[in-house]
């Protein structure tokens, strides 16, 4: 029993350390250091020795003395096994091993005798590994997007692994791609169009959705149950089945290639979910408050404007942010409807850029950063509102 | 009294609902029905312009006499396939200027030349000439004449509104379109994309549900792929996976994991040799599925996390007292708590992955074995410009969708409302 838990501990912990060191090595390779070998077996054995040493010493030493001495020794071993590299790399290795030694501080020989200890060990390391794995897998493409926009095509073709940024250069040199896409590719205009379309969609959607949601939530009328149950079903029909009829009709009406056409389509496609979200919230407002409003002689319009809207600002905020995000990110309709560069949205403009194989990739990535950044900033800033929007609107995506 | 009140209430409700219902009806429901109509017609992209009569005006002097001019109208039917009937032409002349020897189809009245051209066949062209002169033999300003644009009108059938139907499109969809492969690819993509997203969603939710430093930061990061614009993310991935100078392949070759770069998005099959068995993996499709999982697992994560946070803590404490390990706790407490939400997620994600267009379109454009039904709608309707055919494929999607929704609401519709 003890042997089993010991071997599981050694195995999982050293695999974990190996993953940490490999990720560090990959990231350093991307800074232009010339590594060609991950040294998997050597570093694995190194990890086993380190874990075993830490386990055996256990609580007999002061925690800080223990982890610092072990880390120093093993960093030197690591130096000896692996290729030579700049000093900052060794400092990072030291920090990684320090982090690892700190994480396994709970483990000592007595701990291995506890119940279910092998399961606990596996769960602990899966958690640790999972956090790093998910963070790495998710952030890596964003990192590449950002860094590529600061490089040049030639530098990347010469060495596709060197993403190091030279901050000694002029700032205007570093941000050259951004200047180019604004000057030559007219991105300023596309940002304006995209913002106009997204904000316009939000305003029109709210103007249509708030009265409708109020009616569904509060008033009695014929066909109410039918309507409220069909809202979500309508929402589940995808854009791709609407696109051909809309394309033909909009062509004949001259609405294709116009921002107005996009506004109409975006509003219509986001209305069902906006109504669905708002009516849920409106139902939770106590009816007595409205009765007081009726006593005061307000009309329905007055009740909505003076009572309902001020009371449901949080819900309206999450609907607005969610609709903004959908309109800003929308691609299919802007691809089908817009073929004149004068009325492109940002997404469509980036897609248009890729149509020309000659377009250097740093421009493409600079455009991608420009379209991604506002959404991420809004998301981080208003996370609470947006998450509730995402959850409610998640039947589509 | 209450009767009138309820009448007022009804009327208010309809007024409040009308704009939204009208918009949703015309932009979402109408197209779904319009698809049925178009799918029974032979229409191509260039047919959808309504034919119209057009005229180009050229002004010429005929002699040194500046009080006389010749106007040539180059008339044509804009359509190559449809006729226009009852073509009427109007143009205005400046005061004191009159036409000489006007064509018999036309008349001149109060400064306006008005002509009835009757029917124009498809591709119809005519050079229509009018001589004009000034009554007082003054000079006529060419520019004034030129700047006056003639107006034309005519009646033409809108090809979308005619009533000749055909079953050709559906025959083509099922027999000439490699339909079985199309369907299989779509299901393969949908199924594995959904399962993968839910699997990683459970994993991520289980992680974030524990206490560690930077937990709320982690939660925001996990949602990035879902929040980011698809265009930017898809192109970043294409760049990353590019076989020539993409970072992924360069890293793999650098660390000797791959012998040579692999075109992950452009290669249809990869033959793998596992224990002597030849295994053909659909490489590009698998890569696209991984992108799909990467982009949509956050949604599954969000839902499952919300559910996990609602699980009472004392359940776990009780299990610990009973001597259950982490694995048992997960299997016997966590899993039963999240099966309901997982089944809902599975159905919703299944329906949505089934309709996914942008991601595949941006990554591969439907090439190298990634042609799914939605991609096919685009290919038929816009790449081959066969609108009728594209609509027919849309109809197939809608029918399958209705079946899925029916299953969804039968199986878990009621459960979904409870959660």
């Amino acid at each position: 029993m003890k042997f089993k838990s010991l071997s599981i501990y050694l195995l999982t912990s050293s695999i974990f350390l190996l993953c940490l060191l490999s990720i560090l090595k990959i990231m350093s390779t991307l800074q232009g250091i010339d590594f060609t070998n991950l040294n998997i077996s050597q570093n694995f054995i190194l990890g086993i020795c380190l874990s075993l040493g830490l386990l055996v010493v256990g609580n007999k030493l002061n925690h800080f003395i223990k982890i610092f001495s072990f880390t120093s020794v093993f960093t030197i071993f690591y130096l000896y096994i692996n290729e030579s590299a700049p000093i900052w790399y060794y400092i990072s290795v030291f920090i990684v091993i320090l982090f690892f030694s700190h994480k396994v501080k709970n483990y000592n020989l007595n701990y291995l005798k506890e119940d279910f200890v092998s399961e606990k060990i596996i769960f602990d390391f899966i958690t640790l590994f999972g956090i790093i794995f998910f963070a790495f897998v998710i952030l890596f493409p964003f990192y590449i997007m950002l860094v590529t926009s600061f490089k040049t095509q030639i530098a990347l073709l010469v060495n596709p692994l060197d993403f190091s940024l030279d901050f000694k250069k002029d700032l205007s040199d570093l941000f050259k791609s951004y200047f180019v896409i604004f000057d030559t590719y007219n991105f300023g205009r596309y940002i304006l169009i995209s913002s106009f379309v997204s904000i316009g969609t939000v305003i029109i959607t709210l103007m249509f959705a708030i009265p409708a949601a109020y009616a569904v939530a509060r008033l009695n009328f014929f066909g109410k149950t039918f309507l409220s149950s069909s809202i979500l079903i309508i929402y589940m029909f995808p854009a791709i089945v609407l696109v051909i009829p809309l394309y033909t009709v909009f062509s004949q009406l001259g609405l294709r290639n116009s921002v107005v056409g996009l506004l109409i389509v975006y509003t219509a496609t986001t209305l069902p979910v906006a109504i669905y979200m708002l009516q849920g919230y409106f139902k939770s407002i106590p009816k007595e408050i409205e009765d007081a409003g009726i006593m005061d002689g307000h009309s329905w319009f007055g009740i909505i404007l003076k009572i309902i809207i001020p009371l449901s600002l949080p819900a309206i905020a999450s609907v607005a942010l969610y609709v903004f995000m959908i309109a800003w990110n929308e691609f299919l309709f802007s691809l089908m409807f817009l073929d004149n560069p004068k009325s492109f949205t940002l997404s469509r403009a980036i897609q248009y850029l890729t149509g020309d194989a000659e377009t250097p990739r740093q421009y493409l990535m600079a455009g991608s950063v420009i379209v991604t950044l506002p959404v991420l900033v809004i998301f981080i800033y208003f996370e609470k509102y947006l998450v509730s929007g995402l959850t409610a609107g998640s039947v589509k995506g | 009294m209450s009767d009138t009140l309820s009448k007022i209430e009804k009327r208010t409700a309809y007024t409040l609902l009308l704009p939204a219902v009208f918009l949703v009806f015309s932009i979402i429901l109408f197209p779904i029905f319009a698809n049925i109509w178009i799918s029974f017609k032979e229409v191509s992209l260039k047919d959808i312009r309504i034919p119209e009569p057009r005229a180009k005006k050229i002004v010429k002097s005929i002699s040194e006499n500046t009080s006389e001019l010749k106007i040539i109208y180059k008339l044509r039917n804009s359509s190559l396939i449809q006729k226009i009937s009852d073509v009427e032409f109007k143009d205005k002349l400046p005061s004191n200027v009159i036409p000489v020897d006007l064509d018999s189809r036309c008349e001149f009245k109060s400064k306006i030349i008005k002509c009835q051209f009757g029917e124009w066949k498809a591709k119809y062209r005519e050079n229509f000439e009018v001589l004009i002169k000034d009554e007082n033999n003054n000079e006529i300003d060419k520019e004034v004449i030129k700047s006056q644009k003639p107006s034309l009108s005519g009646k033409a059938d809108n090809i979308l509104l005619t009533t000749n139907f055909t079953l050709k499109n559906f025959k083509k969809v099922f027999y000439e379109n490699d339909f079985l492969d199309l369907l299989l690819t779509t299901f393969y993509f949908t199924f594995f994309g959904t399962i993968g997203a839910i699997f990683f969603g459970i994993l991520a939710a289980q992680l974030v549900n524990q206490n560690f430093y930077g937990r709320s930061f982690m939660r925001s990061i996990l949602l990035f792929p879902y929040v980011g614009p698809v265009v930017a993310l898809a192109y970043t991935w294409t760049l990353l996976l590019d076989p020539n100078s993409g970072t992924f392949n360069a890293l793999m070759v650098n660390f000797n994991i791959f012998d040579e770069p692999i075109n992950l998005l452009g290669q249809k099959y990869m033959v793998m040799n596992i224990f002597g068995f030849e295994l053909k993996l659909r490489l590009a499709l698998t890569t696209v599925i991984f992108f799909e999982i990467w982009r949509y697992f956050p949604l599954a994560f969000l839902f499952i996390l919300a559910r996990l946070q609602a699980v009472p803590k004392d359940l776990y404490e009780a299990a610990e007292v009973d001597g259950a390990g982490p694995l048992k706790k997960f299997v016997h407490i966590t899993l039963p708590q999240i099966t309901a939400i997982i089944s809902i997620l599975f159905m919703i994600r299944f329906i949505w992955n089934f309709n996914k267009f942008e991601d595949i379109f941006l990554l591969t454009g439907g090439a190298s074995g990634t042609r799914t039904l939605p991609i096919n709608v685009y290919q038929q309707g816009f790449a081959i410009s066969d609108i009728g055919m594209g609509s027919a494929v849309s109809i197939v999607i809608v029918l399958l969708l209705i079946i899925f929704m029916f299953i969804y609401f039968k199986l878990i519709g009621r459960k979904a409302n409870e959660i």
Side-chain angles (χ1 to χ4, degrees):
Chain A
M1 187 65 201
K2 201 177 165 190
F3 179 72
K4 182 187 157 201
S5 47
L6 178 70
S7 48
I8 282 177
Y9 161 70
L10 291 180
L11 205 66
T12 45
S13 63
S14 43
I15 288 175
F16 175 62
L17 182 65
L18 184 68
C19 291
L20 286 185
L21 289 173
S22 301
I23 287 178
L24 178 67
K25 207 162 197 179
I26 289 171
M27 293 314 285
S28 314
T29 314
L30 294 184
Q31 293 306 313
I33 301 180
D34 189 22
F35 289 136
T36 51
N37 197 342
L38 284 176
N39 277 347
I40 291 180
S41 43
Q42 287 97 321
N43 288 339
F44 183 65
I45 292 167
L46 199 75
I48 289 186
C49 298
L50 178 62
S51 324
L52 192 63
L54 285 166
L55 184 78
V56 171
V57 173
N59 300 344
K60 284 165 204 148
L61 263 173
N62 176 295
H63 180 59
F64 285 103
I65 299 172
K66 182 180 93 178
I67 63 172
F68 271 103
S69 50
F70 268 94
T71 307
S72 317
V73 172
F74 275 88
T75 311
I76 291 162
F77 273 127
Y78 183 86
L79 285 181
Y80 182 68
I81 293 173
N82 289 277
E83 300 108 315
S84 59
I87 187 78
W88 61 260
Y89 178 69
Y90 294 126
I91 296 173
S92 342
V93 170
F94 184 82
I95 294 170
V96 166
I97 297 181
L98 195 66
F99 168 76
F100 174 78
S101 322
H102 180 69
K103 278 291 161 198
V104 295
K105 70 175 174 194
N106 283 335
Y107 297 95
N108 55 48
L109 288 170
N110 287 330
Y111 180 75
L112 292 185
K113 287 176 194 150
E114 280 179 26
D115 293 338
F116 299 112
V117 76
S118 8
E119 272 177 34
K120 274 186 197 158
I121 292 168
I122 292 175
F123 264 69
D124 278 356
F125 279 104
I126 286 180
T127 309
L128 276 176
F129 174 73
I131 292 164
I132 287 156
F133 168 80
F134 276 112
F136 180 72
V137 166
I138 284 174
L139 291 181
F140 190 66
F142 287 96
Y143 167 76
I144 292 291
M145 186 201 289
L146 184 70
V147 183
T148 309
S149 71
F150 293 120
K151 300 291 285 186
T152 62
Q153 175 93 344
I154 303 152
L156 283 175
L157 283 178
V158 171
N159 185 0
L161 288 180
D162 185 5
F163 283 101
S164 59
L165 296 182
D166 189 0
F167 288 106
K168 284 174 211 125
K169 275 196 299 187
D170 247 351
L171 267 186
S172 62
D173 240 24
L174 204 59
F175 284 91
K176 191 164 169 276
S177 318
Y178 292 88
F179 290 121
V180 171
I181 59 167
F182 275 102
D183 288 344
T184 354
Y185 295 105
N186 249 333
F187 261 62
R189 186 189 170 85
Y190 303 143
I191 291 177
L192 277 183
I193 294 176
S194 260
S195 321
F196 177 76
V197 172
S198 317
I199 294 170
T201 307
V202 170
I203 293 171
I204 303 174
T205 303
L206 285 179
M207 266 165 46
F208 281 41
I210 291 174
Y214 179 76
V216 174
R218 276 288 192 266
L219 305 177
N220 283 313
F221 57 90
F222 175 73
K224 180 173 163 170
T225 33
F226 173 74
L227 194 76
S228 54
S229 60
S230 57
I231 290 173
L232 272 184
I233 296 178
I234 288 171
Y235 188 57
M236 281 174 122
F237 279 99
I240 190 75
V241 304
L242 313 178
V243 89
I244 287 180
L246 286 179
Y247 182 92
T248 51
V249 172
F250 276 38
S251 298
Q252 298 198 338
L253 297 177
L255 280 170
R256 220 161 57 76
N257 252 325
S258 79
V259 173
V260 179
L262 273 193
L263 271 177
I264 296 175
V265 174
Y266 288 0
T267 307
T269 47
T270 50
L271 255 180
V273 79
I275 296 176
Y276 175 73
M277 285 161 76
L278 286 175
Q279 59 102 13
Y281 195 87
F282 289 170
K283 275 182 187 160
S284 71
I285 297 173
K287 205 161 184 183
E288 289 73 29
I289 301 178
E290 277 164 67
D291 291 340
I294 297 172
M295 291 296 180
D296 288 350
H298 284 306
S299 63
W300 296 109
F301 178 74
I303 288 172
I304 292 178
L305 204 66
K306 295 222 173 82
I307 298 170
I308 295 291
I309 291 181
L311 280 177
S312 47
L313 278 181
I316 291 174
S318 47
V319 172
L321 287 166
Y322 182 63
V323 170
F324 178 87
M325 197 191 87
I326 290 185
W328 181 273
N329 291 351
E330 207 285 333
F331 173 68
L332 177 60
F333 284 115
S334 60
L335 170 74
M336 301 286 183
F337 283 7
L338 309 176
D339 34 46
N340 182 354
K342 274 188 178 154
S343 49
F344 276 177
T345 59
L346 267 177
S347 292
R348 178 72 175 95
I350 292 168
Q351 197 266 341
Y352 186 71
L353 275 189
T354 58
D356 182 5
E358 302 284 298
T359 314
R361 60 177 57 167
Q362 71 267 26
Y363 298 161
L364 214 62
M365 287 299 105
S368 300
V369 170
I370 288 175
V371 70
T372 312
L373 211 57
V375 187
L376 288 194
V377 169
I378 290 176
F379 171 69
I380 292 169
Y381 200 75
F382 295 104
E383 193 186 330
K384 196 180 84 192
Y385 296 114
L386 245 175
V387 164
S388 59
L390 288 178
T391 345
S394 62
V395 282
K396 189 164 189 167
Chain B
M1 180 65 194
S2 71
D3 209 39
T4 45
L5 251 182
S6 84
K7 251 186 199 162
I8 294 172
E9 190 174 335
K10 259 186 199 167
R11 207 183 306 139
T12 328
Y14 291 135
T15 352
L16 294 177
L17 279 168
L18 190 70
V21 170
F22 172 74
L23 194 64
V24 169
F25 194 86
S26 51
I27 302 294
I28 298 179
L29 287 182
F30 163 72
I32 292 173
F33 291 108
N35 257 325
I36 302 175
W37 179 274
I38 299 173
S39 66
F40 286 106
K41 291 178 141 307
E42 260 192 296
V43 203
S44 77
L45 209 53
K46 61 179 189 302
D47 301 337
I48 57 174
R49 298 211 107 176
I50 301 170
E52 51 183 38
R54 294 203 182 139
K56 201 177 157 194
K57 192 175 183 181
I58 298 168
V59 186
K60 274 186 178 167
S61 19
I62 33 174
S63 59
E64 268 143 49
N65 184 357
T66 53
S67 69
E68 280 188 359
L69 283 176
K70 185 158 90 173
I71 311 178
I72 304 166
Y73 297 99
K74 293 197 158 187
L75 305 174
R76 69 183 180 94
N77 178 348
S78 73
S79 166
L80 304 176
I81 41 172
Q82 275 183 277
K83 61 172 192 186
I84 310 175
S85 53
D86 298 335
V87 180
E88 199 181 86
F89 170 96
K90 271 185 201 162
D91 199 9
K92 200 179 169 193
L93 295 179
S95 42
N96 299 329
V97 179
I98 52 160
V100 190
D101 299 332
L102 197 60
D103 194 292
S104 60
R105 293 171 292 183
C106 307
E107 55 180 31
F108 183 68
K109 220 187 234 174
S110 56
K111 289 193 260 174
I112 290 175
I113 305 178
K114 194 173 169 188
C115 308
Q116 304 289 346
F117 287 126
E119 187 180 301
W120 286 1
K121 292 205 180 69
K123 299 182 197 169
Y124 179 87
R125 271 170 195 281
E126 181 189 342
N127 281 357
F128 175 64
E129 295 176 3
V130 179
L131 282 174
I132 51 168
K133 70 167 196 191
D134 193 282
E135 280 175 320
N136 313 326
N137 285 330
N138 291 332
E139 187 187 332
I140 310 178
D141 190 352
K142 262 189 183 177
E143 291 308 312
V144 172
I145 303 287
K146 245 187 201 169
S147 63
Q148 177 67 40
K149 295 271 177 272
S151 73
L152 285 103
S153 63
K155 279 184 204 153
D157 284 338
N158 187 336
I159 196 160
L160 292 171
L161 301 180
T162 54
T163 47
N164 30 356
F165 296 109
T166 164
L167 273 172
K168 245 186 189 170
N169 293 323
F170 284 99
K171 270 186 200 150
K172 271 203 257 170
V173 168
F174 292 117
Y175 296 114
E176 293 170 27
N177 198 19
D178 224 345
F179 188 70
L180 201 66
D181 176 65
L182 191 63
L183 211 60
L184 275 179
T185 312
T186 314
F187 273 104
Y188 191 92
F189 169 79
T190 310
F191 184 76
F192 287 105
T194 310
I195 291 284
I198 290 178
F199 174 77
F200 283 101
I202 296 174
L203 217 66
Q206 182 73 14
L207 290 181
V208 175
N209 198 31
Q210 285 161 47
N211 277 321
F212 58 90
Y213 184 72
R215 184 174 151 218
S216 60
F217 177 66
M218 190 69 198
R219 201 183 85 146
S220 323
I221 286 182
L222 279 170
L223 289 167
F224 276 12
Y226 182 67
V227 178
V230 61
V231 180
L233 300 178
Y235 283 130
T236 311
W237 270 62
T238 350
L239 244 172
L240 256 174
L241 303 178
D242 184 69
N244 298 317
S245 56
T247 319
F248 178 76
N249 272 305
L251 272 175
M252 287 305 180
V253 172
N254 183 39
F255 288 118
N256 292 318
I257 296 171
F258 291 172
D259 295 332
E260 53 184 29
I262 296 176
N263 193 350
L264 285 165
L265 285 168
Q267 198 175 317
K268 188 167 179 182
Y269 290 111
M270 188 165 78
V271 181
M272 289 195 302
N273 205 330
I274 299 172
F275 308 122
F277 289 104
E278 290 243 310
L279 209 75
K280 252 177 151 186
L281 181 76
R282 296 194 59 168
L283 189 64
L285 189 60
T286 311
T287 316
V288 173
I289 290 173
F290 270 103
F291 178 77
E292 191 70 8
I293 294 173
W294 181 79
R295 210 166 117 68
Y296 294 103
F297 90 86
L299 200 76
F301 153 76
L302 201 63
F303 271 78
I304 296 167
L305 181 67
R307 188 72 200 94
L308 281 183
Q309 282 171 341
V311 177
K313 287 278 173 292
D314 34 329
L315 274 183
Y316 291 107
E317 283 159 19
E320 202 152 335
V321 173
D322 290 348
L327 189 67
K328 273 199 174 150
K329 277 195 235 165
F330 180 77
V331 173
H332 293 292
I333 301 175
T334 314
L335 267 186
Q337 291 279 347
I338 56 175
T339 37
I341 195 79
I342 286 176
S343 52
I344 292 170
L345 269 174
F346 180 82
M347 283 310 291
I348 291 175
R349 288 310 317 159
F350 191 87
I351 290 174
W352 280 104
N353 282 346
F354 187 81
N355 299 323
K356 206 82 249 157
F357 168 79
E358 288 101 327
D359 307 58
I360 309 174
F361 175 78
L362 289 167
L363 286 174
T364 64
S368 13
T370 55
R371 199 179 60 133
T372 61
L373 278 168
I375 289 284
N376 199 232
V377 173
Y378 177 81
Q379 285 176 336
Q380 300 290 352
F382 297 94
I384 312 179
S385 350
D386 189 344
I387 294 259
M389 187 69 177
S391 277
V393 182
S394 303
I395 292 296
V396 174
I397 295 183
V398 171
L399 287 180
L400 286 170
L401 208 60
I402 289 173
I403 296 174
F404 295 150
M405 281 190 202
F406 182 76
I407 297 173
Y408 170 72
F409 283 107
K410 262 269 143 28
L411 284 183
I412 46 182
R414 238 167 271 129
K415 243 191 237 165
N417 287 337
E418 284 161 21
I419 286 171

